[in-house]
Amino acid sequence: MRILIGQHGAQADQVVLLFGLGLLGSSIESSLLGAGYVHRETVAFNWTDPTSWPTALRPIEDHCRSRAPRRISVSWTAGGQGFSCTEDEARLEIESLMAVLGMIEDLRRSPGPERLDFHFVSSAGGLFEGQRVVDWSSAPSPLRPYGHLKLRQEELLRDNFDDHELSIYRPSTVYGPMAQKPHHGLINNLVNDGLRGRSTTLDAHVMSLRDYVYCSDIGAFISRRIKSPEVGYTGSPIHFLVSARCSSIFEVVRTIERVLHLKIRY
């Protein structure tokens, strides 16, 4: 995880804690750095070893206490298993969130920050898999452990934060460059397998529709809300981050073939 601090204006007395530095976490960090925040510290965090969490969280809490900022913002994009996660892996991710919430509760105690806000990236696909025409009135009905994980995490956060302190982002299918995990996600798999002349195994019908959103667009939106919580605030902590234009997997395949001048096998 990373610790960033603000340098200018109202952000000069703000600490940002970034838990998760994958596709979306890195996009949020990049956007914040571009907005004038600076990197203060990197803390190693072993998500699969609960016994190491107290040791990892201690310097984070100490840093926040030593700076005594007026505002602490937490960004949570942690968890790299995705739709394939098992019940045991989901349980471990819930436990890791609870450990961080315990640290936050300690930070709230006097003398705590004037404001502490939490920015949590959930999943529209995980919560509404199989449902059609999803809107604000739709109730989540997860089909897999991953979806149940996200719903449970949302519930935990709503139990621990008031609505004005909490932002829950529900993106659809996210895509973008990811150097550390080049085989993560449908588009990355199609590109990598195509360049290597390998076949890609699909987990859906080729004519299935998905809503794709670019990672940098999501990172820019979340970073703006970390910088200024009032941006995009509607009175509800939930934000659907979607493009509102669905594309079939077949269309995605043809687009990649046209752009990269190659034939994709699937």
Side-chain angles (χ1 to χ4, degrees):
M1 65 82 59
R2 296 256 168 83
I3 301 175
L4 306 184
I5 60 172
Q7 290 287 284
H8 307 290
Q11 289 73 47
D13 203 15
Q14 179 186 11
V15 170
V16 180
L17 307 179
L18 298 173
F19 288 93
L21 294 169
L23 184 63
L24 284 180
S26 296
S27 296
I28 295 169
E29 179 186 35
S30 177
S31 189
L32 287 172
L33 293 175
Y37 290 75
V38 297
H39 170 254
R40 175 61 63 186
E41 189 174 350
T42 298
V43 179
F45 204 98
N46 186 343
W47 299 101
T48 62
D49 180 13
T51 62
S52 69
W53 296 344
T55 301
L57 290 173
R58 192 170 301 117
I60 301 171
E61 183 175 351
D62 290 344
H63 179 88
C64 291
R65 290 199 181 281
S66 65
R67 291 192 65 86
R70 296 180 62 186
R71 181 178 171 213
I72 297 176
S73 299
V74 182
S75 168
W76 183 279
T77 60
Q81 300 300 328
F83 272 68
S84 64
C85 81
T86 65
E87 291 186 3
D88 287 340
E89 290 167 336
R91 191 177 303 111
L92 193 62
E93 288 194 23
I94 291 174
E95 291 174 0
S96 67
L97 176 60
M98 293 177 67
V100 172
L101 289 177
M103 179 196 71
I104 290 173
E105 185 60 32
D106 289 340
L107 288 173
R108 285 184 187 272
R109 296 174 185 151
S110 181
E114 292 182 11
R115 178 184 176 96
L116 202 159
D117 43 276
F118 202 107
H119 302 260
F120 175 73
V121 176
S122 185
S123 168
L127 296 177
F128 300 97
E129 183 180 5
Q131 296 187 48
R132 297 184 178 182
V133 195
V134 173
D135 60 19
W136 289 101
S137 65
S138 302
S141 182
L143 300 179
R144 312 187 195 203
Y146 175 73
H148 288 286
L149 157 69
K150 290 300 182 182
L151 185 57
R152 178 58 182 144
Q153 288 177 317
E154 287 189 9
E155 292 168 346
L156 278 170
L157 291 168
R158 300 199 75 165
D159 287 341
N160 282 270
F161 294 90
D162 293 332
D163 283 356
H164 71 277
E165 300 175 310
L166 177 63
S167 295
I168 295 174
Y169 308 99
R170 293 174 173 175
S172 52
T173 302
V174 181
Y175 72 98
M178 190 172 183
Q180 292 179 328
K181 294 183 179 180
H183 298 286
H184 181 77
L186 172 65
I187 293 178
N188 294 74
N189 281 334
L190 287 170
V191 170
N192 279 282
D193 290 342
L195 291 173
R196 290 165 175 75
R198 300 188 302 225
S199 296
T200 299
T201 301
L202 303 177
D203 63 355
H205 191 275
V206 72
M207 297 309 295
S208 297
L209 296 177
R210 293 184 179 181
D211 184 288
Y212 297 89
V213 184
Y214 191 56
C215 62
S216 293
D217 293 335
I218 293 178
F221 178 77
I222 295 177
S223 70
R224 285 199 300 272
R225 299 212 69 247
I226 290 175
K227 182 178 180 182
S228 302
E230 295 75 19
V231 173
Y233 182 66
T234 62
S236 168
I238 296 175
H239 303 262
F240 282 91
L241 305 185
V242 299
S243 69
R245 181 198 179 280
C246 293
S247 301
S248 68
I249 296 177
F250 179 80
E251 182 181 354
V252 171
V253 169
R254 289 293 174 263
T255 300
I256 294 174
E257 288 181 330
R258 184 177 68 255
V259 172
L260 297 183
H261 306 290
L262 53 81
K263 179 66 176 177
I264 292 178
R265 295 181 295 173
Y266 55 92

